[in-house]
């Protein structure tokens, strides 16, 4: 058999990875002349370096001598900062590039530079990941878009939020904001920290500092659930504000309202108050890595601690007072207790035999003779 060469390259989509740091890799299905098919993963910066070398190897075909002689496809340079939007946007161009590359004259499409770049590497078979941080997220191209390399769906539109006050980052993973900054939210975490990007910057920002452009996003928050969900405290916290609760690791509580800023309203016995959601874990779930991560993170700021009178958080958002939480929570518990008491009270009565109706006394002979019919009177005569 002759030398190996590539018959077809198909872009499958891309992966968002979190180890050793957050980055994106494209997934390709490479079909070889021996009918084998392999999946490989490449960063765009690698693909661009491959492209630059290919142009240097074939200056005529790359148009360096005469632009009209160019047959090697164009490929845009990577941005200084590549986020999910640019990764998604670039798929159409990249799919068309691979399609054109494989169909170039054999001296280019079957050269060692092309063959070696698309060969399976050790990392392709064993991707470097760390499940303790976060598993990679896979974004596959729709089937319809694979039929035509130029028919690629548009980018995912990220939500834009505005910073309502200045925020100074306290760690390298966070991002500093100025009041009025417009950021794109890449990921919303229930713990109240959102991953955002602003031009060439990206990092975690407290959700309490962000508000949507159009109006308060209270529709994203669930309504209070006074039945409560069972959770267990994973990290102790000492209350700073009057409406917060002090709890110890291992305490069993009930969550009755999940708020976007990462401070949930919880119930401990008949007491309610705010507690950082990142320090809670659903009852019955076991996550050892979570406890390790908690040591690195502090609770995010609460909305009520940010002084900004113009914020729509205060103007348009439906506010529920702590007294309302307590009253409704207490009312729910009392209703449940009353219902249980009625059931317990009724159970013994249901088990008892039903009382028989009293038998009326037999009428006297005089009453029968005076009030009954002729046939009845004959029976006693």
């Amino acid at each position: 058999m002759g030398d190996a060469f590539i018959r077809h390259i198909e872009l499958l989509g891309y992966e968002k990875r979190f180890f050793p740091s957050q980055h994106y890799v494209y997934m390709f299905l490479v079909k070889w002349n021996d009918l084998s098919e392999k999946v490989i993963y490449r960063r765009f910066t690698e693909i661009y370096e491959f492209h630059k070398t290919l142009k240097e190897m074939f200056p005529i075909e790359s148009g360096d001598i005469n632009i009209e002689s160019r047959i090697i496809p164009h490929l845009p340079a990577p941005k200084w900062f590549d986020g999910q939007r640019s990764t998604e946007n670039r798929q159409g161009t990249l799919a068309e590039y691979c399609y054109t590359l494989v169909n170039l004259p054999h001296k280019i499409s079957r050269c060692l530079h092309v063959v070696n770049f698309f060969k399976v590497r050790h990392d392709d078979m064993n991707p470097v990941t760390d499940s303790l941080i976060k598993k990679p997220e896979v974004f596959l191209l729709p089937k319809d878009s694979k039929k035509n390399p130029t028919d690629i769906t548009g980018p995912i539109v990220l939500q834009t939020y505005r910073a309502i006050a200045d925020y100074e980052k306290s760690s390298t993973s966070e991002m500093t904001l100025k009041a009025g900054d417009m950021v794109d939210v890449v990921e919303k975490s229930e713990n109240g920290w959102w991953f955002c990007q602003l031009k060439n910057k990206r990092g975690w920002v407290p959700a309490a500092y962000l508000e949507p452009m159009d109006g308060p996003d209270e529709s994203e928050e669930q309504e209070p659930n006074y039945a409560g969900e069972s959770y267990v405290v994973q990290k102790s916290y000492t209350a700073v504000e009057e409406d917060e609760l002090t709890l110890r690791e291992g305490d069993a509580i009930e969550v009755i309202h999940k708020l976007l800023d990462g401070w949930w309203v919880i119930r401990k016995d008949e007491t309610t108050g705010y507690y950082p959601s990142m320090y809670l874990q659903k009852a019955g779930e076991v996550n050892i890595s979570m406890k390790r991560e908690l040591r690195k993170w502090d609770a995010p700021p609460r909305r009520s601690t940010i002084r900004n009178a113009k914020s729509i958080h205060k103007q348009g958002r439906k506010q529920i007072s702590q007294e309302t939480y307590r009253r409704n929570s207490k009312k729910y518990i009392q209703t449940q207790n009353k219902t249980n008491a009625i059931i317990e009270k009724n159970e013994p009565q249901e088990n008892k035999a039903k009382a028989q109706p009293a038998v009326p006394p037999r009428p006297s002979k005089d009453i029968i003779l005076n009030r009954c019919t002729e046939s009845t009177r004959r029976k006693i005569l």
Side-chain angles (χ1 to χ4, degrees):
M1 184 178 289
D3 295 333
F5 64 87
I6 300 167
R7 294 186 298 111
H8 181 69
I9 302 173
E10 182 179 335
L11 177 65
L12 301 178
Y14 66 92
E15 260 191 16
K16 180 181 180 181
R17 294 182 175 178
F18 301 89
F19 185 84
S21 60
Q22 183 170 289
H23 63 281
Y24 299 88
V25 292
Y26 289 100
M27 299 180 290
F28 297 95
L29 177 64
V30 183
K31 299 182 180 181
W32 296 85
N33 62 317
D34 61 357
L35 302 183
S36 63
E37 298 182 358
K38 304 293 183 182
V39 176
I40 65 169
Y41 303 86
R42 298 290 183 270
R43 291 195 187 197
F44 185 70
T45 49
E46 292 180 274
I47 300 170
Y48 187 71
E49 288 302 317
F50 156 81
H51 170 71
K52 285 197 331 184
T53 304
L54 188 68
K55 286 173 61 183
E56 292 170 2
M57 291 173 63
F58 301 96
I60 296 175
E61 290 80 0
S62 65
D64 286 350
I65 298 174
N66 184 354
I67 192 63
E68 294 179 359
S69 302
R70 178 162 189 161
I71 57 174
I72 292 178
H74 290 274
L75 192 66
K79 297 180 179 180
W80 187 82
F81 170 76
D82 269 338
Q84 184 163 350
R85 180 177 292 182
S86 56
T87 302
E88 180 87 18
N89 249 344
R90 201 185 284 125
Q91 289 182 109
T93 302
L94 200 51
E96 189 173 1
Y97 178 86
C98 293
Y99 177 82
T100 305
L101 178 66
V102 174
N103 289 283
L104 289 175
H106 289 179
K107 68 173 185 177
I108 302 176
S109 62
R110 299 187 182 184
C111 72
L112 281 176
H113 180 60
V114 173
V115 171
N116 289 337
F117 181 76
F118 287 98
K119 273 185 178 178
V120 178
R121 302 172 182 168
H122 175 73
D123 291 346
D124 297 324
M125 304 298 292
N126 304 284
V128 180
T129 60
D130 189 343
S131 59
L132 295 180
I133 297 176
K134 198 171 184 181
K135 291 183 179 179
E137 297 175 6
V138 181
F139 300 84
L140 298 177
L141 281 175
K143 291 183 179 179
D144 293 341
S145 64
K146 294 177 186 176
K147 295 177 183 177
N148 185 350
T150 60
D151 184 20
I152 306 297
T153 55
I156 297 173
V157 180
L158 301 177
Q159 287 181 290
T160 302
Y161 280 70
R162 175 176 48 228
I164 62 173
D166 293 348
Y167 175 73
E168 191 66 35
K169 67 178 184 180
S170 57
S171 70
T172 54
S173 62
E174 297 174 27
M175 185 168 68
T176 297
L177 291 179
K178 295 292 183 184
D181 281 348
M182 305 295 183
V183 300
D184 291 328
V185 177
V186 178
E187 179 185 343
K188 293 181 178 180
S189 176
E190 281 190 334
N191 64 17
W193 289 97
W194 290 2
F195 195 77
C196 304
Q197 58 186 31
L198 171 63
K199 296 179 181 177
N200 60 346
K201 296 189 299 180
R202 65 190 322 186
W204 294 96
V205 175
Y209 277 79
L210 302 174
E211 64 182 5
M213 298 299 297
D214 301 328
D217 52 351
E218 60 181 299
S219 59
E220 296 183 32
E221 292 182 345
Q222 303 172 17
E223 290 296 317
N225 173 23
Y226 291 101
E229 289 183 67
S230 297
Y231 276 74
V232 177
V233 176
Q234 294 294 298
K235 184 177 178 180
S236 302
Y237 173 78
T238 303
V240 177
E241 304 288 333
E242 291 182 1
D243 54 3
E244 297 172 2
L245 290 184
T246 297
L247 295 176
R248 294 175 176 267
E249 182 179 334
D251 283 351
I253 56 94
E254 293 168 314
V255 173
I256 60 177
H257 201 182
K258 297 179 179 180
L259 302 175
L260 287 176
D261 65 355
W263 285 83
W264 290 356
V265 182
I266 66 169
R267 180 172 62 218
K268 173 66 175 171
D269 300 325
E270 294 189 11
T271 306
T272 65
Y274 291 98
Y275 201 81
S277 63
M278 63 192 303
Y279 297 164
L280 302 174
Q281 182 173 285
K282 212 161 196 175
E285 293 183 357
V286 178
N287 191 344
I288 299 173
S289 63
M290 179 182 174
K291 287 188 176 182
R292 296 175 185 166
E293 288 298 310
L294 288 179
R295 295 178 189 143
K296 307 175 187 176
W297 287 80
D298 293 325
R302 288 178 54 189
R303 282 186 182 137
S304 59
T305 63
I306 302 171
R307 311 303 174 195
N308 187 333
K310 295 181 180 179
S311 170
I312 57 175
H313 283 324
K314 296 183 179 179
Q315 293 177 359
R317 182 176 294 276
K318 181 174 63 178
Q319 299 287 344
I320 301 179
S321 67
Q322 191 57 220
E323 181 56 36
T324 304
Y325 284 125
R326 290 195 184 99
R327 185 171 61 249
N328 289 343
S329 187
K330 193 172 182 180
K331 189 187 298 181
Y332 176 83
I333 294 173
Q334 289 174 345
T335 304
Q336 290 298 105
N337 292 341
K338 192 180 292 183
T339 304
N340 294 337
I342 291 172
I343 293 173
E344 291 174 4
K345 188 176 180 180
N346 290 340
E347 279 180 354
Q349 293 178 354
E350 290 173 0
N351 295 333
K352 289 179 182 178
K354 291 184 178 179
Q356 298 297 323
V359 179
R362 182 178 176 81
S364 64
K365 184 177 179 180
D366 292 336
I367 291 175
I368 293 174
L369 291 174
N370 293 328
R371 299 183 184 178
C372 295
T373 61
E374 183 66 26
S375 61
T376 304
R377 289 201 298 268
R378 284 195 198 125
K379 291 178 180 179
I380 64 169
L381 292 174

